[in-house]
Amino acid sequence: MHAAVIVFPGSNCDRDMKVAFENAGAKVSMVWHKDTEMPAGVDVIGVPGGFSFGDYLRCGAIAANSPICQSVKSHADKGGYVLGICNGFQVLTETGLLPGVLLRNSGLKYVCKALDLKVETSNSAYTSGYNAGTTITIPIAHHDGNYYADDDTLARLNDDDRVAFRYVENPNGSQQDIAGILSENRRVLGMMPHPERMAEETHGNTEGATLFTSLVGSLETA
């Protein structure tokens, strides 16, 4: 399984994502944001967390206009898998690959801590290794993680079983405690918590590694 991880100026979790994919058994290519094409044979694209372009203006908005993002959208439009974490989730909403927006945290403060997430669905390549209803501990680190969407969008997300994760204790004001959502075809996942930071024993637990092993395992057997 071949994963590509996008490298934006300012991102600080691209290498963490690379290691998490590699530990799950994937071959990984790092792709510079000014490139215009993905390497041949890429199965999944990772859009990492961090502070792309310093998060000036609206978080993720500048990165969403990097040349490589046209290739990310093309990959998704063809049914390819895309994983966006934290700033990467913001980028995916800015590109229109996922609905809604990420607003400033309701407390107007940067929040960095490990917290509990409820796995809402196991019906995706990303979450198939978890049991729906399970609580896992994954860290967050963001200033703009307050998920917002209109009522019709929220209804569709719930009706279609596309909410992947919810916060047990909401840290940022996100509507309906939403921490991560799936696209209509369930192949694009955006989430604010960082599973790549809970993917090795030295991190404190490996509950985040399950997301990567689930994805790699699903694609290798597809």
Side-chain angles (χ1 to χ4, degrees), residues 198-211:
M198 281 295 188
E200 301 176 28
E201 292 292 345
T202 52
H203 293 164
N205 78 51
T206 59
E207 291 177 324
T210 302
L211 185 147

Side-chain angles (χ1 to χ4, degrees), residues 51 66 68 83 108 112 117 133 147-148 208:
F51 301 89
S66 285
I68 196 60
L83 169 63
L108 302 181
C112 180
L117 297 180
Y147 182 76
Y148 176 85

Side-chain angles (χ1 to χ4, degrees), residues 128-213:
S128 60
Y130 301 107
N131 292 320
T134 298
T135 298
I136 60 175
T137 302
I138 301 289
I140 60 169
H142 58 246
H143 197 276
D144 298 75
N146 181 354
Y147 182 76
Y148 176 85
D150 60 40
D151 291 342
D152 288 343
T153 299
L154 291 171
R156 285 198 301 275
L157 290 173
N158 286 304
D159 291 347
D160 295 343
D161 188 34
R162 289 168 50 197
V163 177
F165 302 101
R166 294 187 202 270
Y167 300 109
V168 174
E169 293 186 9
N170 193 328
N172 52 32
S174 288
Q175 287 183 300
Q176 300 184 4
D177 305 324
I178 288 174
I181 59 171
L182 294 156
S183 61
E184 288 186 11
N185 67 1
R186 315 186 79 76
R187 294 189 173 196
V188 180
L189 170 67
M191 61 187 296
M192 288 308 297
H194 286 266
E196 79 280 15
R197 294 185 182 178
M198 281 295 188
E200 301 176 28
E201 292 292 345
T202 52
H203 293 164
N205 78 51
T206 59
E207 291 177 324
T210 302
L211 185 147
F212 292 93
T213 56

Side-chain angles (χ1 to χ4, degrees), residues 65-90:
N65 287 286
S66 285
I68 196 60
C69 282
Q70 286 299 321
S71 185
V72 176
K73 288 194 284 187
S74 176
H75 177 80
D77 290 342
K78 294 175 183 174
Y81 288 81
V82 181
L83 169 63
I85 296 173
C86 195
N87 189 217
F89 185 14
Q90 295 161 343

